[in-house]
């Protein structure tokens, strides 16, 4: 099977399982798993298009956070409930592990490379989430200003 | 209405805030929810302060000063509890009544949760390039981590827990590579690391920092970094043990 397809399928499966571990409400499991599909697919697409870890993760995180905010309003649940499990495929598990591995084997070049990748992934997730939060807060404060 | 009932809403709002904070809700969500409930029931001069380890609530009701403080002992992320408290606060504000807050309960059976721990690590093992054999073997450290988590002693801090869990997962993975030909301890450990990684709290902490919740953001960031270092430390110890002591 195609490598990209395997990545998308396993990210969906992993997101579903993580949602259960994090005790997501049963009636939200479908939306959460769909979030995993979106984040996994976006990551694969952006990595192929941009070939840059930071920008790929940032864009995938932005779209996942936007999806969480929109669906949270539609199904009346806190956005965190959808976003936390949906963003699991973006986490830097592989690069964090290889950072440690290369530290133990004194491979300085690879250690620096994976450490940079871990930091870029973390920063990318944070920036994507923050960008969506800024948009949501701006819309909310404009709406509040109108009603007052 | 007697005076005790006059302030019952305050106790309920504090309990909802406490449970939200303990279940892993963001600082702004805790503060916002409590503030909205208190405003709805006529409190004024409200100030709510939430950081990962503490919740402080001040308010005035007519001339009476109300105050609540509690030390937050964060357990695991509980999404169902966050949703339940959110729904409860909406209902409370809409009907202006004081609903009873029952204890939270896991929606899924223990066996199903253990199965999902094995499933998630197996899926991420393949996601990061592992083989089906690695994915199956990955379920053993995943089950070990989950069983530890279920029986975590209250006194054991998050850092000590992460270190112990990653050390044991690492030792199991290295042992498998030694006795089972064709499996990769690297891929097994990457699958297992996904159960422990505090990635999201880094995202939340940076968001808190950028939105001006400096103290909450800094504490969450320190928590995430120390948690990450403890995970790394556990795996590093296991790899080094097999590299220098066993081989």
């Amino acid at each position: 099977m195609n490598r990209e397809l395997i990545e998308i399928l396993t990210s969906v499966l992993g997101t579903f399982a993580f949602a259960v571990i994090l005790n997501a409400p049963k009636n939200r499991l479908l939306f959460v798993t769909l979030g995993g599909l979106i984040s996994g697919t976006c990551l694969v697409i952006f990595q192929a298009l941009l070939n840059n870890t930071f920008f790929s993760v940032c864009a995938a995180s932005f779209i996942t956070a936007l999806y969480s905010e929109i669906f949270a309003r539609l199904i009346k649940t806190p956005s965190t409930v959808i976003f936390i499990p949906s963003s699991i495929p973006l986490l830097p598990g592989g690069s964090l592990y290889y950072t440690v591995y290369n530290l133990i084997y004194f491979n300085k070049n690879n250690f620096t490379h994976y450490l940079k990748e871990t930091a870029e992934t973390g920063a990318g997730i944070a920036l994507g989430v923050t960008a969506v939060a800024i948009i949501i807060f701006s819309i909310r404060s404009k709406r509040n200003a109108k009603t007052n | 209405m007697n005076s005790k009932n006059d302030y019952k809403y305050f106790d309920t709002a504090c309990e909802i805030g406490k449970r939200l904070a303990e279940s892993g809700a963001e600082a702004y969500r805790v503060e916002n929810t409590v503030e909205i409930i208190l405003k709805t029931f006529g409190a004024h001069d409200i100030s709510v302060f939430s950081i990962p380890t503490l919740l402080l609530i001040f308010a005035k009701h007519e001339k009476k000063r109300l105050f609540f403080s509690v030390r937050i002992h964060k357990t695991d992320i509980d999404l169902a509890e966050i949703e339940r408290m959110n729904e409860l606060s909406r209902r409370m504000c809409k009907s202006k009544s004081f609903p009873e807050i029952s204890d939270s309960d896991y929606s899924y059976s223990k066996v199903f949760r253990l199965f999902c721990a094995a499933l998630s690590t197996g899926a991420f093992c393949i996601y990061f390039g592992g083989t089906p054999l690695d994915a199956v073997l990955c379920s053993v450290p995943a089950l070990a981590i989950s069983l530890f988590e279920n029986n975590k002693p209250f006194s054991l801090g998050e850092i000590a827990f992460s270190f112990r869990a990653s050390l044991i997962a690492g030792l199991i993975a290295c042992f498998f590579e030694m006795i089972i030909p064709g499996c990769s301890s690297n891929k097994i450990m990457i699958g297992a690391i996904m159960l422990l990684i505090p990635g999201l709290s880094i995202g939340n902490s940076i968001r808190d920092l950028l939105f001006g919740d400096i103290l909450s953001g800094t504490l969450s960031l320190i928590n995430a970094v120390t948690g990450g270092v403890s995970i790394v430390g556990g795996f590093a110890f296991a790899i080094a043990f097999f590299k220098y002591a066993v081989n």
Side-chain angles (χ1 to χ4, degrees):
Chain A
M1 213 193 296
N2 184 304
R3 178 72 216 151
E4 283 78 19
L5 196 62
I6 292 175
E7 279 183 14
I8 292 170
L9 281 178
T10 48
S11 63
V12 170
L13 208 61
T15 306
F16 168 80
F18 250 101
V20 173
I21 298 169
L22 299 174
N23 199 27
K26 280 178 184 165
N27 55 349
R28 310 294 185 218
L29 273 180
L30 181 70
F31 297 99
V32 169
T33 313
L34 191 64
L37 174 70
I38 289 170
S39 65
T41 312
C42 286
L43 193 60
V44 166
I45 293 171
F46 287 122
Q47 254 165 0
L49 287 177
L50 305 171
N51 200 21
N52 177 302
T53 308
F54 175 74
F55 288 114
S56 313
V57 174
C58 184
S61 163
F62 178 83
I63 292 174
T64 313
L66 201 63
Y67 161 81
S68 309
E69 291 288 347
I70 292 169
F71 273 79
R73 270 151 190 78
L74 288 178
I75 60 173
K76 290 197 167 46
T77 189
S79 54
T80 322
V81 172
I82 302 178
F83 183 73
I84 292 181
S86 301
S87 63
I88 300 279
L90 308 177
L91 299 183
S95 50
L96 180 64
Y97 173 76
Y98 284 115
T99 309
V100 186
Y101 184 84
N102 288 298
L103 176 73
I104 301 295
Y105 283 87
F106 299 114
N107 194 335
K108 196 183 164 194
N109 288 344
N110 282 351
F111 168 74
T112 320
H113 168 78
Y114 284 112
L115 185 66
K116 189 172 152 259
E117 199 172 288
T118 309
E120 279 180 354
T121 311
I125 296 174
L127 202 68
V129 179
T130 309
V132 173
I134 290 170
I135 295 170
I136 298 293
F137 276 107
S138 314
I139 294 171
R140 200 180 291 163
S141 46
K142 262 187 190 170
R143 201 187 293 161
N144 287 348
K146 265 185 189 174
T147 48
N148 291 333
Chain B
M1 201 188 277
N2 63 34
S3 64
K4 197 182 167 194
N5 268 345
D6 274 347
Y7 308 116
K8 199 184 168 189
Y9 76 88
F10 186 77
D11 295 337
T12 316
C14 295
E15 184 62 25
I16 288 175
K18 178 178 166 251
R19 288 194 186 211
L20 276 173
E22 282 175 346
S23 308
E26 313 93 309
Y28 82 87
R29 191 177 300 283
V30 178
E31 292 175 359
N32 242 10
T33 308
V34 174
E35 210 173 311
I36 289 170
I37 298 173
L38 296 182
K39 257 184 198 163
T40 308
F41 284 87
H44 55 94
D45 291 342
I46 303 160
S47 76
V48 186
F49 177 71
S50 171
I51 55 172
T53 51
L54 183 71
L55 175 63
L56 294 174
I57 304 171
F58 300 92
K60 274 187 192 169
H61 186 108
E62 288 158 5
K63 283 184 180 172
K64 175 105 175 157
R65 285 167 193 268
L66 305 164
F67 171 64
F68 174 84
S69 80
V70 67
R71 167 77 161 88
I72 301 295
H73 291 283
K74 230 175 212 169
T75 48
D76 300 319
I77 292 175
D78 187 343
L79 299 176
E81 184 72 350
I82 295 177
E83 179 171 283
R84 203 166 68 97
M85 289 304 120
N86 184 62
E87 206 265 318
L88 210 67
S89 67
R90 278 172 192 265
R91 204 163 7 118
M92 200 175 155
C93 292
K94 211 173 173 188
S95 63
K96 293 214 169 185
S97 60
F98 314 117
E100 280 301 311
I101 304 177
S102 56
D103 277 342
S104 70
D105 194 18
Y106 281 114
S107 322
Y108 309 95
S109 69
K110 235 180 193 176
V111 178
F112 188 56
R113 284 163 60 82
L114 285 176
F115 168 75
C116 282
L119 182 70
S120 65
T121 50
F124 282 114
C125 177
I126 293 178
Y127 180 85
F128 286 109
T131 61
L133 174 69
D134 297 331
V136 172
L137 293 174
C138 201
S139 60
V140 180
L143 290 177
I145 292 172
S146 301
L147 286 172
F148 271 136
E149 212 157 48
N150 288 343
N151 304 308
K152 183 164 46 173
F154 192 66
S155 56
L156 190 66
E158 211 47 55
I159 292 170
F161 167 75
S162 300
F163 180 81
R164 194 177 71 163
S166 59
L167 174 66
I168 286 166
L171 289 175
I172 293 172
C174 290
F175 180 68
F176 277 154
E177 195 182 54
M178 206 169 72
I179 60 161
I180 302 172
C183 80
S184 157
S185 62
N186 292 346
K187 305 297 177 196
I188 298 174
M189 279 194 251
I190 291 174
I193 222 171
M194 292 300 282
L195 271 183
L196 299 163
I197 201 166
L200 189 100
S201 44
I202 293 177
N204 269 354
S205 57
I206 294 176
R207 184 164 64 170
D208 277 350
L209 280 174
L210 290 175
F211 278 96
D213 285 329
I214 302 295
L215 195 55
S216 175
T218 313
L219 285 177
S220 302
L221 192 63
I222 292 171
N223 198 28
V225 171
T226 48
V229 169
S230 67
I231 293 170
V232 163
F235 280 112
F237 205 83
I239 299 169
F241 176 74
F242 268 81
K243 183 176 184 271
Y244 298 110
V246 178
N247 291 333

